[in-house]
Structures are given as structure tokens and as C-alpha cells.
Amino acid sequence: MNKSLGLFAFTTALIISSGSAIAQSQPGSFYTNVGATMISDGSDSETAYFAQAGYNHYLTPFVALDLNYRHTATLDSSVAANSTSFASKYNSYGLGLKLEQGIGWFDLYGIGGASYIDSEVSRWSVANSAVETTKESSIEPYASAGIKFAPKGSPLLLDAGVSYQWLPNNESAASLFAGAYLTF
């Protein structure tokens, strides 16, 4: 029992004292991510891709404002007659707060905020026997969590994570992504 407690105390002290190997010492960083998304309306889901660009402005080495733009579109942009599938695309403009903590050679982070979203959804209308497209704009919350790490000697930080974006029309988008940061 004493060995386990001692090992736990030693590991905790090592993590706390080591800080972050890549803690942000510059005021900002640009980043870009690409990934796969599952857009769901509660009864059906469609696969989509996304590309994101953003900027983090650090208030402290571990707290930053996150500004981002994301374009997302379903892989199949057509809707077949009498189908329950849908085609969706949206642009989001987000502002959030990022918290990050270094653990050894990588940083874990979480982001929460809100996005202004321009959304377009196309579905088959049985009543009209035609595809109907609905456009809507709203402000919706988002959340992300990820890990970033620096290859030895590189100014780039590699990034991987997950995100969840609430969308207009009772839809949501769950995403997996990978990308890179460039600090300055």
C-alpha cells in the first residue's frame, strides 16, 4: 500500500512540476483542421467533411480566446426521390474560450463557445414531390476537446480531437479532426 501511495505522489509531483513541454509562450497561434463529421437530425444521419481555420489569442499560457471559421458539407449533395436522406452544408463563425494543460510531451485542451451558423438543408418533400431546401441562420453552442504535440525541432504543433456543434433545424454535428498549429 505504501509503495502505491509513494508512486502516485511521485507521479503527481512529476506532472505538476514538469508543466507543459509546449506551453504557449507567444501571444497567438493560427491553426487549421480537416475532418469527418456525422450530421444528425435525430432520425437520420449523413456523413460530411469539414475544413476549419482559426486563431487562438492567449491570455495566459493556458487560457486563450478561440476564433474560428468552419465549412461543412455532406459527401452526397443530392437527395433522391422518396428518400429519407438529406444534404446539408453550413458555415460557422465561432468564438470560444480554450483551456489547456500540459502533461508531459503533449497538451490536452477543451474549448467551449458559440457559433453563428448559416445552414442549408435539402430534403425530399413527399407533399410536393420535389427537393425542398431550407436556409436558416442562428447562434448555437459548440464544444471541442483534443490533444496537441510538437515533433522535435518543429515550429508546427500537430493536433487531433473531437468536436460537437449544435445546428439549426434540431440538427447536430459530431466530428473527428486532425490538423496543425503555427505559433508566433
Side-chain angles (χ1 to χ4, degrees):
M1 184 71 171
N2 287 338
K3 284 185 180 182
S4 297
L5 185 58
L7 182 58
F8 175 74
F10 174 74
T11 304
T12 302
L14 183 62
I15 290 171
I16 291 171
S17 66
S18 67
S20 172
I22 58 173
Q24 186 70 27
S25 59
Q26 310 302 334
S29 62
F30 287 102
Y31 66 91
T32 184
N33 288 312
V34 294
T37 299
M38 185 62 66
I39 298 176
S40 175
D41 67 358
S43 60
D44 293 313
S45 297
E46 294 292 331
T47 305
Y49 70 90
F50 79 87
Q52 179 179 28
Y55 172 74
N56 290 153
H57 180 77
Y58 282 83
L59 306 171
T60 75
F62 303 104
V63 177
L65 292 176
D66 177 57
L67 302 166
N68 62 72
Y69 165 77
R70 177 186 285 202
H71 173 76
T72 305
T74 51
L75 296 175
D76 187 2
S77 62
S78 63
V79 177
N82 297 317
S83 74
T84 59
S85 66
F86 61 92
S88 177
K89 64 181 177 180
Y90 68 89
N91 292 309
S92 67
Y93 309 88
L95 173 62
L97 186 64
K98 178 179 184 179
L99 304 174
E100 79 183 66
Q101 175 62 51
I103 300 177
W105 297 103
F106 56 90
D107 280 3
L108 297 176
Y109 66 85
I111 304 171
S115 297
Y116 175 78
I117 298 173
D118 285 324
S119 173
E120 182 177 299
V121 179
S122 298
R123 298 179 185 279
W124 181 259
S125 169
V126 176
N128 297 329
S129 294
V131 174
E132 289 185 351
T133 300
T134 305
K135 295 182 180 183
E136 190 171 337
S137 297
S138 68
I139 296 175
E140 303 288 342
Y142 75 92
S144 298
I147 182 172
K148 63 183 189 177
F149 56 94
K152 195 166 189 156
S154 174
L156 290 177
L157 302 174
L158 300 181
D159 179 31
V162 297
S163 69
Y164 191 84
Q165 174 69 65
W166 285 263
L167 298 171
N169 300 318
N170 295 320
E171 293 182 337
S172 61
S175 306
L176 297 174
F177 61 83
Y181 280 75
L182 178 60
T183 60
F184 59 92

